[in-house]
Amino acid sequence: MSLDIAHSSAPAGKWSGLWAVRDRLDAIPLSFVSLCARLFPAAVFWQSGQTKLEGWQVSESAVLLFQEEYRLPVLDPYLAAHLAAVAEHLFPVLLVLGLATRLSAAALLGMTLVIQFLVYPDAWPTHGVWATCFLLLIARGPGAFSLDALLARRLGCSH
């Protein structure tokens, strides 16, 4: 059951202004929303990745962070710090470009779930926002303002 009422049944009169606002909001392109869903979480992950580096190297403090605070099960802290640093740089760049968007969003959603359930479980409101952005990208794709869309057009694919 949908609470959204079809455009054709919009009543005139005192509610017409409300329907006009709804129609304007409906006109926001999904490609713009998808662009925002790509850019803003990408910035968060990029900045996090930057804190793990000293020059071109993963810092000892990043490894120590994984060893002392994050304490991920199974993964060695040295390996986890390096994997996180690579992922937090690679996938945000791909998201910004809109290249391999669904894969990148899925990878960052996976990281978000690990962070949520194994590292900072009390930060669910923030992680929920990130997850929502990633789920939108996984479900609907990167939108028209992306290299994925450009490649799809060049290759004659619909998506």
Side-chain angles (χ1 to χ4, degrees), residues 14-148:
K14 67 179 183 178
W15 297 103
S16 63
L18 187 60
W19 297 113
V21 169
R22 186 209 56 192
D23 290 344
R24 291 220 185 242
L25 293 173
D26 282 347
I28 297 171
L30 182 58
S31 287
F32 175 73
V33 176
S34 296
L35 178 64
C36 293
R38 289 180 8 231
L39 295 180
F40 299 117
V44 172
F45 278 84
W46 176 270
Q47 289 173 338
S48 178
Q50 288 290 287
T51 67
K52 293 174 178 63
L53 298 181
E54 284 179 7
W56 289 95
Q57 303 289 327
V58 173
S59 67
E60 286 185 35
S61 63
V63 174
L64 191 61
L65 190 63
F66 278 85
Q67 186 175 6
E68 299 296 324
E69 186 174 339
Y70 296 168
R71 298 178 188 225
L72 297 176
V74 182
L75 281 179
D76 173 71
Y78 180 86
L79 177 61
H82 283 77
L83 289 174
V86 169
E88 289 175 333
H89 285 92
L90 173 64
F91 296 121
V93 168
L94 291 173
L95 278 185
V96 168
L97 295 173
L99 183 62
T101 303
R102 285 183 161 111
L103 172 71
S104 300
L108 291 174
L109 176 60
M111 285 186 69
T112 300
L113 294 173
V114 168
I115 295 165
Q116 171 57 41
F117 293 111
L118 300 178
V119 182
Y120 297 122
D122 292 336
W124 61 266
T126 299
H127 301 149
V129 172
W130 300 347
T132 301
C133 290
F134 298 140
L135 287 170
L136 171 70
L137 295 171
I138 292 165
R140 298 292 182 254
F145 311 120
S146 67
L147 288 179
D148 286 341

